[in-house]
């Protein structure tokens, strides 16, 4: 059983910066063996869960959703079971509950799809005011 915990959510003004963290506890050895993906998603009321950024450990590649490219950066310390999301130039439309996900398996082209991830955190709220 893997438990993911996010932190760092807050209320900020537009143009501000936030850094989210996600740390896994429990047995993540299966992730390493399978090369499972790690990711950040977000969801706001009435909308589908959106893939924000994802990391493919086996290829050392990071992927970003179109709406955050150039503004958000996923950093990772997989050996410490931790990923981060550095969010710059925040906009009101970035307001959402942000979720960490891990254990993603499937095609790399699906890396930003929620359905391929096995484990999820409870989320942390990010609110950006104009």
């Amino acid at each position: 059983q893997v438990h993911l915990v996010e932190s760092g959510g807050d209320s900020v003004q537009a143009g501000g910066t936030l850094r989210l963290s996600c740390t896994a506890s429990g047995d993540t050895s299966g992730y390493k063996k399978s090369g499972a993906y790690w990711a950040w998603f977000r969801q706001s009321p009435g909308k589908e869960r959106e893939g924000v950024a994802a990391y493919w450990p086996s290829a050392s590649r990071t992927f970003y959703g179109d709406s955050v490219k150039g503004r958000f950066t996923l950093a990772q310390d997989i050996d410490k079971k931790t990923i981060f999301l550095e969010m710059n130039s925040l906009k009101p439309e970035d307001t959402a509950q942000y979720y960490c996900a891990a254990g993603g398996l499937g095609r790399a082209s699906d890396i930003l799809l929620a359905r391929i991830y096995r484990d999820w955190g409870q989320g942390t709220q990010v609110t950006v005011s104009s």
Side-chain angles (χ1 to χ4, degrees), residues 76-88:
Q76 53 77 26
D77 188 344
I78 296 299
D79 289 341
K80 293 185 179 178
K81 306 178 187 181
T82 300
I83 62 171
F84 307 92
L85 186 67
E86 183 80 26
M87 304 186 292
N88 298 307

Side-chain angles (χ1 to χ4, degrees), residues 34-67:
S34 62
Y37 311 134
W38 295 67
W40 287 98
F41 287 81
R42 67 186 182 186
Q43 189 168 22
S44 49
K47 293 188 177 181
E48 291 190 1
R49 193 162 291 193
E50 175 191 7
V52 174
Y55 180 67
W56 181 8
S58 302
S60 298
R61 287 183 64 185
T62 307
F63 300 77
Y64 296 95
D66 289 341
S67 61

Side-chain angles (χ1 to χ4, degrees), residues 76-126:
Q76 53 77 26
D77 188 344
I78 296 299
D79 289 341
K80 293 185 179 178
K81 306 178 187 181
T82 300
I83 62 171
F84 307 92
L85 186 67
E86 183 80 26
M87 304 186 292
N88 298 307
S89 303
L90 282 161
K91 304 175 181 180
E93 51 264 44
D94 294 319
T95 295
Q97 185 83 347
Y98 282 71
Y99 297 92
C100 174
L105 294 174
R107 299 177 299 182
S109 56
D110 292 338
I111 200 169
L112 290 174
L113 297 180
R115 61 177 170 81
I116 72 167
Y117 288 85
R118 186 187 73 182
D119 298 306
W120 291 85
Q122 292 299 306
T124 186
Q125 178 67 32
V126 171

